[in-house]
Amino acid sequence: MADTYDLIVLGSGPGGYVAAIRASQLGLKVAIVERERLGGICLNWGCIPTKALLRSAEVYHYMTHAAQYGLSNEKPAFDLSKVVDRSRKVAGQLNAGVKGLMKKNKVAVHEGIGTITAKGKLSVKQGDKTVELEAKHIIIATGARARDLPFAKADGAKIWTYRHAMVPPEMPTKLLVIGSGAIGVEFASFYRDMGAEVTIVEMLDRIMPVEDVEVSDFMLKALTKQGMTIRTKSGLEKLEVAGSGVKAAIKGPDGKVETVEFSHAIVAIGIVPNTENIGIEALGIETDRGHIKTDGYGRTGVDGIWAIGDVTGAPWLAHKASHEGVIAAESIAQALGNKDVHPHAMDKNNIPGCTYARPQVASVGYTEAKAKEAGHEVKVGKFPFIGNGKAIALGEAEGFVKTVFDAKTGELLGAHMVGAEVTEMIQGYVIARQLETTEKELTETVFAHPTISESMHESVLGAYGRTLHM
């Protein structure tokens, strides 16, 4: 006889395990199915361990620039294996934490490869053993994986995906990063700070193309100043392992192809949703370029089947997946008769994006260009960190805050930040957008002094011609 539940969650990443916890909190009997490690890619191979690596690189950067702070630190050095080991231990600690959360919330964990065999039915295979499960509802939270170059598959030795780049067998000396999204720029930043020569190749006309143009322009200058080579409007024609490294044929904006040698290459050209072999085709679940189509609550077109996170499409962010998990869990509880929950549809325009490079980048809402395209007449404020006392005291005076408002209503349409600790600061603007705050409330808000966040206030003031410190 099959084990029966109110809800089965297929995949235990930041979307899946959060959905399971919230559903359990609402009194549902819940199971979660995971083929590898609880916590999914984000916790084990993505968000968390990469931040541990970047922290090591940041500390090493400060060590090598100690003299700027009146300190001495002769011959700073690092042990790459220990840097990687620290990152893996951080991931391991959090993996154990998710196991504890599952136990605390009475979520049954089934390890193995899950396949939806019919509406409300799922089989879990581990080795030669198969367990049959049944549930009133199923949430698909199977995530995504790195996209390979069609002509050069990652081998883990010289051609890497993000997963290989987190556990490098050796330190690159001359690194090619293909793609300038958040993942590409973060690894470029890490390896540059650790001493590698770094080249970024981007097909589009600017790096970090989803960001505001002014942020992209600033990052181009900042990364170039750090010694990186940035090649925009350039495509990779060929990549092959050759000798002790790789050879890349790079086509520039003028159409000329140049062959350049590197010690290693990181492929960061996007992701592929994990929708194969999980049973969605037989159920007739609709997809768009592999991603499962859902409404704002996570419902697919098949009753009782839900989907959340990376498997449903952009933005491919852990916090987006977690929030979708809560929405779906509450919607399921409501469908099962809980009258005390009132789920809201996901508003993707209120999801913050963060890049943890040096300098950091964070944003929410419309870019200036997108706001204009949407028909808004805008007021724009911008304040540089060089006018902020705390940033100067920290030795982090490079960066700025940019805010975009609707000129007629005062609505905060978007915010864009680059510089030290902006990934921590962006949440202020996210809350402001969620509360439908206008420029009036932000102008009248008191910001603590001295903090870098005062630049957020100054940017708002600047949009209305009231800047105080510049």
Side-chain angles (χ1 to χ4, degrees):
M1 180 179 291
D3 294 342
T4 59
Y5 300 91
D6 295 312
L7 170 65
I8 299 170
V9 183
L10 180 59
S12 72
Y17 84 75
V18 167
I21 290 172
R22 183 65 184 127
S24 180
Q25 289 175 343
L26 293 169
L28 304 188
K29 184 181 179 183
V30 185
I32 198 163
V33 177
E34 175 54 53
R35 67 180 180 181
E36 291 187 34
R37 291 169 62 85
L38 286 172
I41 292 296
C42 175
L43 190 152
N44 293 288
W45 293 102
C47 319
I48 301 302
T50 56
K51 303 313 163 282
L53 292 176
L54 286 161
R55 177 59 171 168
S56 292
E58 181 183 34
V59 172
Y60 184 64
H61 168 75
Y62 287 126
M63 289 170 62
T64 57
H65 292 79
Q68 295 180 9
Y69 298 87
L71 307 173
S72 60
N73 185 26
E74 294 183 6
K75 295 182 180 179
F78 65 88
D79 184 325
L80 183 62
S81 64
K82 291 182 178 179
V83 170
V84 172
D85 183 58
R86 175 181 180 272
S87 171
R88 301 316 308 153
K89 285 179 178 177
V90 168
Q93 179 180 342
L94 291 174
N95 168 261
V98 174
K99 289 181 181 178
L101 287 171
M102 295 299 96
K103 184 177 181 180
K104 175 186 175 183
N105 289 280
K106 298 184 172 71
V107 175
V109 177
H110 294 271
E111 297 180 351
I113 298 172
T115 306
I116 302 171
T117 55
K119 284 178 61 176
K121 295 185 178 182
L122 190 148
S123 66
V124 184
K125 185 176 182 180
Q126 186 176 47
D128 57 1
K129 181 182 178 183
T130 299
V131 175
E132 302 296 335
L133 309 178
E134 292 185 1
K136 298 168 186 173
H137 295 268
I138 295 173
I139 293 177
I140 300 170
T142 47
R145 61 189 183 276
R147 185 183 297 278
D148 264 319
L149 287 168
F151 51 82
K153 300 289 185 182
D155 61 7
K158 297 298 179 181
I159 302 175
W160 299 344
T161 64
Y162 65 84
R163 193 156 178 165
H164 304 120
M166 275 187 286
V167 287
E170 58 200 0
M171 180 67 192
T173 54
K174 189 176 180 182
L175 175 66
L176 171 64
V177 178
I178 306 157
S180 71
I183 292 174
V185 169
E186 286 183 2
F187 278 115
S189 184
F190 169 74
Y191 281 108
R192 180 69 195 110
D193 275 348
M194 301 303 280
E197 292 182 38
V198 175
T199 296
I200 297 176
V201 172
E202 170 59 55
M203 290 186 65
L204 300 179
D205 61 355
R206 59 190 177 97
I207 62 169
M208 307 188 74
V210 302
E211 301 294 344
D212 189 88
V213 171
E214 291 190 76
V215 171
S216 292
D217 290 345
F218 183 95
M219 286 298 289
L220 174 63
K221 293 175 183 175
L223 298 181
T224 301
K225 184 178 178 180
Q226 292 175 22
M228 293 190 203
T229 299
I230 313 292
R231 302 184 62 158
T232 56
K233 298 182 183 178
S234 298
L236 197 68
E237 298 286 292
K238 189 176 183 181
L239 182 67
E240 60 182 355
V241 176
S244 59
V246 296
K247 284 185 178 180
I250 303 170
K251 186 177 182 179
D254 59 0
K256 294 181 179 178
V257 177
E258 178 186 2
T259 299
V260 187
E261 294 185 2
F262 299 90
S263 66
H264 300 78
I266 296 176
V267 180
I269 56 171
I271 59 92
V272 178
N274 294 323
T275 50
E276 307 96 334
N277 305 315
I278 60 173
I280 65 172
E281 296 86 359
L283 289 173
I285 294 174
E286 193 174 355
T287 61
D288 179 11
R289 287 169 291 184
H291 291 95
I292 296 173
K293 296 179 72 171
T294 62
D295 66 6
Y297 296 87
R299 299 183 186 92
T300 69
V302 177
D303 186 49
I305 307 292
W306 308 67
I308 61 173
D310 286 359
V311 78
T312 66
W316 298 284
L317 300 167
H319 44 280
K320 174 249 193 185
S322 294
H323 202 68
E324 286 180 328
V326 171
I327 292 170
E330 292 182 351
S331 298
I332 289 167
Q334 186 181 61
L336 292 175
N338 189 325
K339 297 180 180 180
D340 296 324
V341 291
H342 307 283
H344 61 277
M346 170 67 82
D347 181 354
K348 292 185 178 180
N349 214 28
N350 283 350
I351 301 172
C354 297
T355 301
Y356 299 82
R358 187 178 62 82
Q360 295 179 7
V361 174
S363 59
V364 67
Y366 289 103
T367 64
E368 181 181 353
K370 290 293 185 183
K372 290 176 179 177
E373 286 177 18
H376 294 277
E377 180 186 342
V378 302
K379 284 184 178 289
V380 177
K382 184 179 175 183
F383 189 82
F385 281 9
I386 193 64
N388 178 271
K390 179 67 176 294
I392 294 170
L394 291 176
E396 301 285 2
E398 292 189 355
F400 65 84
V401 177
K402 178 178 179 177
T403 44
V404 182
F405 293 89
D406 184 283
K408 296 177 181 178
T409 66
E411 177 190 356
L412 175 65
L413 298 173
H416 310 277
M417 315 164 77
V418 57
E421 301 306 324
V422 297
T423 57
E424 297 291 339
M425 292 159 51
I426 191 63
Q427 198 61 35
Y429 286 135
V430 178
I431 293 169
R433 278 190 53 80
Q434 187 68 27
L435 296 177
E436 300 182 352
T437 299
T438 67
E439 125 286 329
K440 184 177 184 295
E441 287 82 20
L442 288 169
T443 295
E444 295 174 356
T445 298
V446 178
F447 285 71
H449 175 79
T451 61
I452 303 177
S453 64
E454 289 175 277
S455 298
M456 298 168 64
H457 192 217
E458 291 280 6
S459 179
V460 174
L461 296 174
Y464 292 83
R466 295 178 52 183
T467 304
L468 296 172
H469 291 92
M470 184 58 66

